[in-house]
Amino acid sequence: MSQNNLNKDDQTSAAKKGISLPISRVRLIMKSSPDVSSINQDALFLTTKATELFVQHLAQSSFNSGSGKESNSLSYSDLARTAEETDTLQFLTDILPKKILARDYLKSLEDMQEEEADF
């Protein structure tokens, strides 16, 4: 191999060491789409890195605005609140809904059924 190819391989392996998410899992998720037939290695790496940075941003934003600063922890409710309150993260509200108690959910279902029955 030429020196140029060796440097490129070294850079690629160093870059792969810089990510925490398993690339094989990201590939599996990407391949689950019927629109995807093949995945370029560079696109796979960039998607993995972008996902990692997004999760890091979400966690950092949730931690900074959450209640866990005192105990140095991050909870589901912090993530859900950040998704609901941040305009750019509104698309996550279906994935990270606020937790509610079962009795509250059942009561809201009953109220919805009563409203439908009135029509």
Side-chain angles (χ1 to χ4, degrees), residues 34-71:
D35 298 333
V36 176
S37 59
S38 65
I39 302 169
N40 181 320
Q41 283 300 108
D42 291 336
L44 178 62
F45 172 76
L46 288 174
T47 302
T48 304
K49 188 63 178 176
T51 302
E52 188 174 292
L53 291 172
F54 173 75
V55 170
Q56 183 180 3
H57 169 73
L58 175 62
Q60 189 70 40
S61 298
S62 299
F63 180 78
N64 288 337
S65 65
S67 59
K69 274 189 169 180
E70 298 82 30
S71 62

Side-chain angles (χ1 to χ4, degrees), residues 63-80:
F63 180 78
N64 288 337
S65 65
S67 59
K69 274 189 169 180
E70 298 82 30
S71 62
N72 203 22
S73 65
L74 181 64
S75 68
Y76 177 89
S77 59
D78 295 333
L79 293 168

Side-chain angles (χ1 to χ4, degrees), residues 7-27:
N7 288 339
K8 189 175 180 180
D9 290 341
D10 290 342
Q11 289 174 350
T12 303
S13 64
K16 285 183 180 178
K17 290 179 185 176
I19 57 175
S20 301
L21 294 176
I23 291 179
S24 60
R25 185 66 55 94
V26 175
R27 179 186 295 116

